Amino acid sequence: MRRVLIPATLAPIGPGHAARGSIETLSGRVMGTTWSVRFVAPPGLDAQVLRSLIQIEFGRLMAQLSHWEPDSALCRFNRVPAGTRQVLPDDLFAVLLQACDVAACSEGAFDPTLGALIDLWGFGPPGPIPTLPEPAAVAAARASGGWERLALDPETRSACQPGGLQLDLSAIAKGYSVDRISDLLAGQGIASHLVEIGGELRGRGVKPDRSSWWVALEAPPEALGSVDEIVVALHDLSAATSGDYHRFLDRGDRRYGHSLDPRTGFPIENGLFSVTVLHASCMLADAAATALMVLGPEPALAAATRHGLAARLVVRQGGALAEQLSPVAARMLS
């Protein structure tokens, strides 16, 4: 069965608001994953020039946000001496500001300073690990983090490196990059487009036939047949999904997902298979999906309700998978 979600508030979609032109597609690879842009090309647009502009923007973003590039602003911050305060470039500071806000709202279920833990569990640049980390090593890596220790200062756009803090923005950087590419397209006069990076999406405007950009919400492969397919109209809306079925560590008869709980230092085991969040900001949707994933089914649904988030949770109940919708998402059902 297929169900439909439609944003509660839609901008006018009349003859004067429909984009004119053909729908074109550009795609490539970035951040270890794929990206694609579908857009209504205005007359005279050179798609290859647009591709170059997109790649330049990706390069600029990765030079600030990547934890895989040793010379990025993020990696340089990770290496500065203890006890120093560093002025950060605009994009890095903006992402950290949002990340710390989500961390505070989720009572620590989200944390942008988990680099040491992520590396320890084999999900960072050093690569996979041969054996599981010892509890003492997990405790030490967890103690080296803590988003509060960044002590962000909006006036100077700076952050503190108290020593040992290792930034990792993999749970928010894709969403932010989606937003920035969407803004780039809008700045080029491309008002109608769908941007996707590694499954995180943002749609703006409408197509020439005045229809929205429709996408199917991602769900775990195990959910096929037991959870309804949901399609959503991304009309000035973003969708981001967090789940442990893409990246994991198999050791013996156990599987450890890549979602780590900052409060324990260990991979989550709370019955949540995936969380999708819909929001105007893909950056916020990306981070919020991760935070809800870590919280677990009941606290996640309570948090989504409290903060007015449109969220879809896929939960294991007994031996089956079931779906839960937050009140805002439920009101979007057509």
Side-chain angles (χ1 to χ4, degrees):
M1 178 178 174
R2 171 180 287 186
R3 292 184 295 164
V4 175
L5 293 180
I6 298 176
T9 303
L10 285 175
I13 307 177
H17 295 87
R20 298 179 181 179
S22 60
I23 297 179
E24 298 190 21
T25 302
L26 296 173
S27 62
R29 292 193 63 83
V30 72
M31 303 183 195
T33 188
T34 60
W35 66 267
S36 69
V37 173
R38 297 186 65 204
F39 59 98
V40 181
L45 177 76
D46 187 327
Q48 294 311 308
V49 170
L50 179 62
R51 175 186 288 278
S52 295
L53 292 175
I54 291 172
Q55 290 175 329
I56 289 170
E57 181 68 357
F58 277 138
R60 189 185 68 80
L61 291 169
M62 292 305 94
Q64 294 190 40
L65 308 177
S66 176
H67 63 287
W68 293 85
E69 300 292 338
D71 292 330
S72 71
L74 181 150
C75 288
R76 293 199 305 272
F77 176 84
N78 287 348
R79 295 193 299 265
V80 298
T84 59
R85 176 165 287 277
Q86 300 291 313
V87 176
L88 303 178
D90 289 348
D91 293 284
L92 178 55
F93 187 84
V95 174
L96 283 175
L97 200 62
Q98 178 71 85
C100 288
D101 184 57
V102 174
C105 290
S106 65
E107 298 182 346
F110 184 89
D111 194 324
T113 68
L114 295 188
L117 268 173
I118 291 170
D119 289 351
L120 183 67
W121 281 97
F123 298 116
I129 54 175
T131 58
L132 295 177
E134 295 292 333
V138 172
R142 178 173 173 266
S144 72
W147 64 273
E148 303 101 325
R149 300 171 68 207
L150 281 169
L152 297 180
D153 184 351
E155 289 191 8
T156 60
R157 303 187 72 79
S158 65
C160 178
Q161 172 55 279
L165 277 186
Q166 298 293 300
L167 300 178
D168 185 313
L169 300 177
S170 54
I172 190 172
K174 282 192 299 181
Y176 181 76
S177 298
V178 167
D179 289 334
R180 294 288 68 78
I181 297 300
S182 177
D183 289 344
L184 182 152
L185 295 173
Q188 295 296 312
I190 304 172
S192 180
H193 57 260
L194 177 68
V195 180
E196 183 265 341
I197 302 176
E200 321 296 35
L201 302 119
R202 181 174 179 177
R204 292 172 81 166
V206 294
K207 293 181 278 189
D209 63 0
R210 288 182 283 169
S211 65
S212 297
W213 299 99
W214 289 94
V215 302
L217 295 187
E218 184 180 334
E222 297 92 332
L224 295 177
S226 59
V227 174
D228 291 342
E229 180 185 22
I230 291 184
V231 294
V232 58
L234 291 188
H235 188 74
D236 297 332
L237 193 65
S238 299
T241 299
S242 178
D244 275 341
Y245 45 91
H246 289 306
R247 299 177 63 207
F248 46 82
L249 177 68
D250 282 326
R251 289 294 179 270
D253 60 351
R254 292 191 62 183
R255 171 166 291 183
Y256 300 85
H258 77 281
S259 296
L260 304 180
D261 188 336
R263 301 163 300 180
T264 66
F266 286 84
I268 62 170
E269 294 182 286
N270 57 26
L272 259 181
F273 263 50
S274 72
V275 176
T276 297
V277 172
L278 304 174
H279 196 275
S281 163
C282 197
M283 172 172 62
L284 190 145
D286 195 5
T290 299
L292 296 180
M293 187 77 186
V294 170
L295 284 171
E298 291 185 10
L301 193 58
T305 302
R306 184 168 62 252
H307 295 290
L309 293 174
R312 179 211 201 189
L313 283 61
V314 178
V315 184
R316 180 171 292 284
Q317 294 181 341
L321 296 181
E323 172 191 273
Q324 297 176 356
L325 296 179
S326 70
V328 172
R331 289 196 293 270
M332 293 171 63
L333 280 172
S334 175

